[in-house]
């Protein structure tokens, strides 16, 4: 008898709804997959994932050699410029020239020290149209490096933090997919309950009409009172009102579900009630282990502390002694032709050390460092608190899931008993062996048992998908949840 009444009810409902060819029979799994493929939420999650991927690619490119070509072609100008004469007066001199240049640059960053190694070659042409002369100036080659000293090394810290951010975004995408499952499960059971309520109301109306006909015959024979007839008429009116309300609820729930899963058209939707997963075993320790291995929050715990340490490094790098060492070695030459630039070029060299030392800053440097260190300590405390909340949420959800599974079995038994009791009460009333009050009670108990069973199904599957969301692990298949 277990599940008998609800399965029979949904079978009758399916036949009623499927009288035409334009009807969709959908299970919970079907609805979840449709939502993950077509919903706006799924498209938003996919777009966010793609954005994070290209941000990752941008980060990776910072560690690769960079080659660029720059220049100004042409650099034409015809104007006049003020020229100070020996006597201090100003004479506006007409100038007419083209100053074009092209530069090829190569650079490579060194992560460990934050230095940059670079190389370049340059060619410049100057055309003086007033004097009808051409002059070339070039740098056949130049190599050099720039090394910050005592400063914040962004490359080093990015290499620690950016991979965490990227992995966090990948797990966040999986979480977004599982959140879609949770949301669409609510819409699914809204419609399922509405359809069950509609079929229940229609069945009650049909049964009440049949019983009322029998009662009218008994009334004519003097076997029932006028009060019982009035009570049945009231039951009939209530059943008609319930059927009208249920039809409205079905339309609203269908529209909400269709809108969320991105299903277009006017096809009627008939839902198939899912069953429980009896063979699945879930323990708090297992769920916690999977959550800390898979959830984006677990990665965020590590990333937040790394960012706090980075901020301390920034504070140290922006205070106290800061310096930069730059060295350059190459050749340069000027000539009236391009080949002449490369003949016997002159050597160019550069060695430069720049530095800055705060002499009197009234404790500003120390305050910045202490503030960053205090924020790091605060972040560590916050992360520890969030970890405890994270664990408690999972333990609570595991307990809730196990309770919901037990409740589902109990409500299924109650539904079967109420259905059998209703049938017996109906037959007894027809035989004249039951009062109208007891029959009404059997009506109500049967309706409530059916609704309770659907609500228990909803609670169970909502808890199941919430468990998947919190752990990113499929305990039914015993594997990690992944999406392409």
């Amino acid at each position: 008898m277990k599940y008998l009444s609800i399965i029979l009810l949904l079978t009758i409902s399916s036949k009623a709804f499927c009288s035409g060819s334009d009807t969709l029979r959908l299970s919970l799994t079907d609805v979840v997959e449709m939502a993950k493929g077509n919903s706006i939420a799924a498209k938003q999650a996919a777009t966010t994932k793609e954005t994070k991927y290209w941000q990752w690619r941008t980060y990776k490119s910072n560690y690769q050699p960079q080659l660029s070509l720059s220049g100004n072609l042409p650099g034409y100008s015809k104007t006049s410029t003020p020229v100070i004469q020996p006597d201090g007066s100003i004479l506006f001199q007409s100038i007419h020239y083209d100053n074009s240049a092209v530069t090829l640059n190569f650079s490579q960053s060194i992560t460990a020290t934050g230095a940059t190694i670079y190389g370049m070659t340059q060619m410049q042409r100057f055309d003086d149209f007033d004097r009808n002369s051409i002059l070339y100036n070039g740098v056949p080659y130049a190599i050099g490096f720039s090394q910050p000293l005592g400063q914040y090394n962004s490359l080093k810290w990015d290499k620690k933090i950016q991979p965490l951010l990227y992995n966090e975004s990948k797990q966040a995408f999986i979480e977004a997919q599982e959140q879609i499952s949770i949301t669409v499960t609510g819409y699914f059971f809204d419609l399922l309950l509405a359809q069950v309520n509609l079929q229940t109301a229609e069945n009650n109306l049909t049964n009440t009409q049949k019983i009322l006909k029998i009662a009218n015959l008994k009334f004519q024979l003097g076997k029932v009172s006028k009060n019982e007839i009035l009570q049945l008429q009231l039951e009939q009116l209530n059943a008609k009102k319930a059927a009208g309300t249920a039809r409205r609820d079905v339309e609203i729930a269908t529209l909400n579900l269709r809108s969320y899963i991105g299903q277009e058209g006017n096809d009627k939707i008939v839902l198939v009630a899912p069953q429980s997963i009896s063979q699945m075993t879930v323990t708090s320790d297992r769920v916690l282990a999977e959550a800390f291995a898979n959830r984006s929050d677990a990665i965020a715990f590590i990333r937040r502390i790394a960012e706090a340490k980075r901020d301390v490094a920034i504070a140290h790098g922006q205070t106290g002694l800061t310096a930069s060492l730059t060295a350059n070695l190459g050749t340069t030459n000027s000539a009236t032709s391009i080949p002449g630039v490369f003949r016997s070029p002159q050597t160019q060299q550069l060695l430069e050390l720049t530095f800055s030392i705060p002499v009197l800053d009234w404790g500003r440097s120390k305050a910045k460092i202490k503030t960053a260190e205090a924020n790091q300590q605060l972040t560590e405390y916050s992360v520890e608190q969030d970890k405890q909340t994270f664990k408690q949420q999972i333990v609570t959800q595991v307990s809730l899931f196990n309770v919901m599974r037990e409740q589902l079995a109990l409500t299924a038994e109650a539904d079967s008993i109420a259905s059998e009791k209703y049938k017996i009460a109906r037959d007894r009333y027809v035989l004249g062996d039951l009062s109208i009050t007891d029959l009404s009670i059997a009506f109500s108990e049967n309706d409530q048992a059916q609704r309770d069973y659907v609500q228990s199904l909803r609670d169970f599957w909502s808890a199941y998908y919430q468990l998947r969301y919190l752990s990113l692990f499929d305990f039914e298949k015993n594997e990690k949840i992944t999406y392409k």
Side-chain angles (χ1 to χ4, degrees):
M1 296 297 292
K2 191 176 182 180
Y3 310 119
L4 178 61
S5 64
I6 193 68
I7 293 174
L8 179 61
L9 182 63
L10 290 173
T11 300
I12 296 172
S13 177
S14 296
K15 290 180 181 179
F17 277 104
C18 296
S19 58
S21 59
D22 54 345
T23 301
L24 293 176
R25 286 178 55 84
L26 300 176
S27 66
L28 178 59
T29 302
D30 295 332
V31 169
V32 168
E33 292 303 316
M34 292 175 71
K36 289 179 180 178
N38 302 323
S39 68
I40 298 298
K43 294 175 182 178
Q44 289 173 335
T47 302
T48 301
K49 178 186 177 184
E50 184 177 7
T51 300
K52 297 298 183 181
Y53 169 75
W54 288 113
Q55 289 177 353
W56 167 256
R57 287 289 300 272
T58 301
Y59 149 75
K60 293 287 288 183
S61 68
N62 294 333
Y63 299 84
Q64 303 300 320
Q66 306 293 316
L67 184 64
S68 63
L69 181 66
S70 60
N72 54 301
L73 296 171
Y76 178 81
S77 177
K78 184 177 182 181
T79 185
S80 60
T81 184
V83 179
I84 300 177
Q85 302 301 303
D87 59 0
S89 62
I90 294 178
L91 179 65
F92 286 90
Q93 181 71 42
S94 175
I95 55 175
H96 185 197
Y97 66 88
D98 179 84
N99 188 10
S100 300
V102 61
T103 304
L104 183 65
N105 288 291
F106 167 84
S107 64
Q108 172 66 62
S109 299
I110 301 176
T111 305
T113 64
T116 301
I117 299 175
Y118 60 88
M120 63 167 289
T121 180
Q122 183 185 68
M123 182 60 65
Q124 179 182 7
R125 170 172 168 157
F126 183 81
D127 290 83
D128 189 339
F129 298 113
D130 291 332
R131 298 167 181 80
N132 196 26
S133 64
I134 299 175
L135 183 64
Y136 290 91
N137 183 63
V139 178
Y141 80 90
I143 58 174
F145 77 95
S146 177
Q147 174 64 65
L149 302 174
Q151 298 183 38
Y152 167 69
N153 185 351
S154 62
L155 293 174
K156 178 182 176 181
W157 282 99
D158 283 350
K159 202 162 188 177
K160 293 180 179 180
I161 295 173
Q162 290 299 326
L164 293 173
L165 282 170
Y166 183 54
N167 290 333
E168 189 178 342
S169 71
K170 290 193 293 185
Q171 299 310 107
F173 172 73
I174 301 176
E175 291 171 10
Q177 296 295 312
E178 291 306 305
Q179 183 60 55
I180 291 172
S181 300
I182 296 172
T183 303
V184 80
T185 296
Y187 288 123
F188 176 91
F189 281 101
D190 284 345
L191 179 55
L192 181 63
L193 182 59
Q195 290 180 350
V196 168
N197 287 340
L198 174 58
Q199 194 59 42
T200 299
E202 291 177 344
N203 288 343
N204 288 344
L205 178 59
T206 300
N207 291 332
T208 302
Q209 289 172 339
K210 290 179 180 179
I211 293 174
L212 182 58
K213 288 181 181 180
I214 296 173
N216 283 329
L217 292 175
K218 289 184 176 183
F219 178 73
Q220 294 175 3
L221 297 175
K223 293 183 178 182
V224 297
S225 65
K226 181 64 175 179
N227 185 59
E228 290 189 25
I229 297 296
L230 294 175
Q231 180 65 36
L232 286 172
Q233 289 176 345
L234 182 60
E235 294 284 351
Q236 180 178 255
L237 290 174
N238 289 335
K240 288 181 180 180
K241 288 168 57 180
T245 301
R247 290 189 188 94
R248 180 204 62 191
D249 293 342
V250 167
E251 291 179 0
I252 295 174
T254 300
L255 179 62
N256 291 337
L257 178 63
R258 195 192 304 275
S259 175
Y260 188 79
I261 66 177
Q263 196 274 326
E264 299 180 353
N266 298 317
D267 297 343
K268 292 181 180 178
I269 297 177
V270 175
L271 301 182
V272 180
Q275 301 300 316
S276 63
I277 307 174
S278 58
Q279 73 276 13
M280 194 174 79
T281 303
V282 179
T283 63
S284 298
D285 291 341
R286 179 68 187 282
V287 178
L288 280 171
E290 294 298 337
F292 276 101
N294 304 328
R295 282 286 300 279
S296 66
D297 287 343
I299 301 174
F301 294 150
I302 303 172
R303 187 255 306 162
R304 288 163 59 188
I305 293 177
E307 288 177 337
K309 292 180 178 179
R310 176 203 61 190
D311 293 341
V312 173
I314 291 175
H316 280 284
Q318 293 178 344
T319 58
L321 170 64
T322 59
S324 180
L325 178 64
T326 303
N328 182 286
L329 176 64
T331 60
T332 183
N333 201 7
S334 299
T336 57
S337 63
I338 293 178
V341 173
F342 293 91
R343 285 196 294 267
S344 302
Q346 300 176 1
T347 301
Q348 67 171 13
Q349 298 176 347
L350 173 67
L351 181 62
E352 183 180 52
L353 176 64
T354 60
F355 65 90
S356 174
I357 303 175
V359 177
L360 183 63
D361 66 357
W362 305 101
R364 180 173 56 186
S365 298
K366 182 178 179 180
K368 286 184 177 180
I369 294 173
K370 291 298 182 181
T371 299
E373 290 175 346
N375 286 335
Q376 178 186 344
Q377 189 68 59
L378 179 61
T379 299
E380 291 173 353
Y381 291 148
S382 298
V383 167
E384 189 60 33
Q385 179 62 55
D386 292 344
K387 282 183 180 180
Q388 295 301 323
T389 303
F390 184 74
K391 292 177 182 178
Q392 187 60 46
Q393 183 182 19
I394 291 173
V395 171
T396 302
Q397 188 61 37
V398 171
S399 177
L400 178 63
F401 173 78
N402 291 326
V403 169
M404 289 300 103
R405 183 164 53 183
E406 294 174 0
Q407 288 292 110
L408 182 59
L410 294 175
T411 53
E413 288 292 343
D415 179 44
S416 297
I417 293 172
S419 177
E420 186 68 19
K421 181 180 178 182
Y422 165 67
K423 292 177 183 177
I424 294 173
R426 183 183 59 191
D427 294 339
R428 287 182 60 189
Y429 181 81
V430 172
L431 295 174
D433 191 27
L434 191 72
S435 68
I436 187 63
T437 301
D438 291 334
L439 179 62
S440 298
I441 293 173
F443 265 135
S444 300
E445 289 178 345
N446 183 51
D447 293 351
Q448 189 59 48
Q450 290 172 347
R451 294 187 183 95
D452 288 346
Y453 177 65
V454 175
Q455 184 61 47
S456 292
L457 275 175
R458 179 187 193 133
D459 293 341
F460 171 81
W461 283 102
S462 296
Y464 168 73
Y465 281 113
Q466 186 70 27
L467 204 62
R468 283 172 55 105
Y469 170 80
L470 290 176
S471 63
L472 300 189
F473 191 84
D474 189 335
F475 292 94
E476 184 182 8
K477 297 179 180 178
N478 197 33
E479 63 183 19
K480 294 183 184 296
I481 300 173
T482 58
Y483 293 94
K484 295 182 179 179

